[in-house]
Amino acid sequence: MARYTGADCKRCRREKQKLFLKGSKCESAKCPIEIRPYPPGEHGRGRTKDSEYLLQMREKQKCARIYGVLEKQFRGYYDEANRRTGKTGENLLRILESRLDNVVYRAGFAKSRDHARQLVRHGHFLVNGVKTDIPSARVVANDIIEVRESSRTLTPFQVAQGEAGERTVPAWLEAIPSRLRILVHNLPERPVIDTQVQEQLIVELYSK
């Protein structure tokens, strides 16, 4: 499966804001964007003319990087969102939020989406009692996600239980750290999705 293997911190610097791709490192003074708050590369400090197309492209890149999705898959999500009723941009964010790796991260069972993706790939989670090791698997309302019995003593899950309550869990999910379980009450509406993207710019980009 194709995936990005480069430096995550360069991606934050490219977007000129924290995308929180490295978990606790993003909250520390060691975060590279705190030290070098400009894009990477020889001309990173130079002024870039922000054309309409550039703004749209940057917004799409930022959204894809936040959720850890490559271009082909991201375009597929957009096409699916466009076929649905309602606002395409909001549909797109709802699809991205419903990914299993994102749900594990949002519930506080992983430090970052990359970390959540790794835990899912290694087969540590059950969805409605069925082992699921596909990070892009989608959850729906009333799904129950839980850590497999044989995985509960592993360090990441012990840490998650110890740090329960330190991160706010969105209202559409319910995390039960003591049982290492996540309840999906419903899929989120745009007002409760805190991802800092202007989805309308993405719609405008793909609509051309």
Side-chain angles (χ1 to χ4, degrees):
M1 184 177 70
R3 63 189 181 94
Y4 175 78
T5 57
D8 285 327
C9 294
K10 281 188 177 181
R11 303 181 123 192
C12 294
R13 290 179 59 209
R14 175 65 267 178
E15 305 305 335
K16 301 179 185 178
Q17 70 178 82
K18 292 187 180 186
L19 304 182
F20 298 97
L21 305 177
K22 297 290 286 183
S24 57
K25 182 179 179 180
C26 299
E27 305 286 355
S28 73
K30 294 182 179 179
C31 178
I33 202 169
E34 298 282 1
I35 303 168
R36 292 170 290 177
Y38 49 84
E42 181 180 353
H43 305 290
R45 298 191 195 211
R47 295 190 64 177
T48 303
K49 183 179 179 180
D50 293 339
S51 66
E52 180 183 0
Y53 175 78
L54 178 61
L55 290 173
Q56 294 167 350
M57 178 61 73
R58 289 260 58 89
E59 207 65 20
K60 185 269 292 183
Q61 290 288 75
K62 179 170 69 174
C63 186
R65 288 169 173 176
I66 288 173
Y67 288 99
V69 178
L70 297 184
E71 174 59 28
K72 183 177 180 180
Q73 190 175 30
F74 191 86
R75 181 57 194 251
Y77 287 151
Y78 173 82
D79 290 340
E80 179 184 343
N82 195 34
R83 290 192 298 268
R84 294 184 178 183
T85 58
K87 295 182 178 180
T88 299
E90 293 183 9
N91 290 340
L92 175 62
L93 289 179
R94 195 173 296 114
I95 288 170
L96 291 167
E97 285 287 313
S98 70
R99 285 172 54 104
L100 179 58
D101 55 359
N102 178 75
V103 170
V104 170
Y105 165 71
R106 290 287 195 189
F109 289 7
K111 295 290 188 180
S112 65
R113 288 183 177 87
D114 274 350
H115 185 210
R117 193 169 299 117
Q118 183 183 51
L119 293 175
V120 173
R121 269 204 206 102
H122 289 179
H124 295 309
F125 288 91
L126 304 175
V127 178
N128 299 326
V130 178
K131 177 184 172 182
T132 304
D133 57 6
I134 302 173
S136 60
R138 310 269 195 86
V139 303
V140 296
N142 301 316
D143 274 355
I144 300 174
I145 299 104
E146 55 189 340
V147 178
R148 296 175 65 194
E149 190 69 38
S150 59
S151 302
R152 297 187 174 206
T153 57
L154 296 179
T155 300
F157 303 118
Q158 294 294 305
V159 170
Q161 287 182 312
E163 296 180 350
E166 292 186 8
R167 190 195 306 168
T168 302
V169 178
W172 59 282
L173 297 174
E174 181 182 349
I176 309 175
S178 61
R179 303 179 66 181
L180 290 173
R181 178 176 291 182
I182 307 165
L183 307 180
V184 182
H185 294 308
N186 47 59
L187 295 186
E189 298 298 325
R190 182 62 180 102
V192 301
I193 299 175
D194 63 3
T195 305
Q196 299 300 307
V197 296
Q198 299 178 59
E199 64 272 15
Q200 185 56 34
L201 293 179
I202 302 172
V203 175
E204 291 171 3
L205 174 68
Y206 281 130
S207 297
K208 292 182 178 179

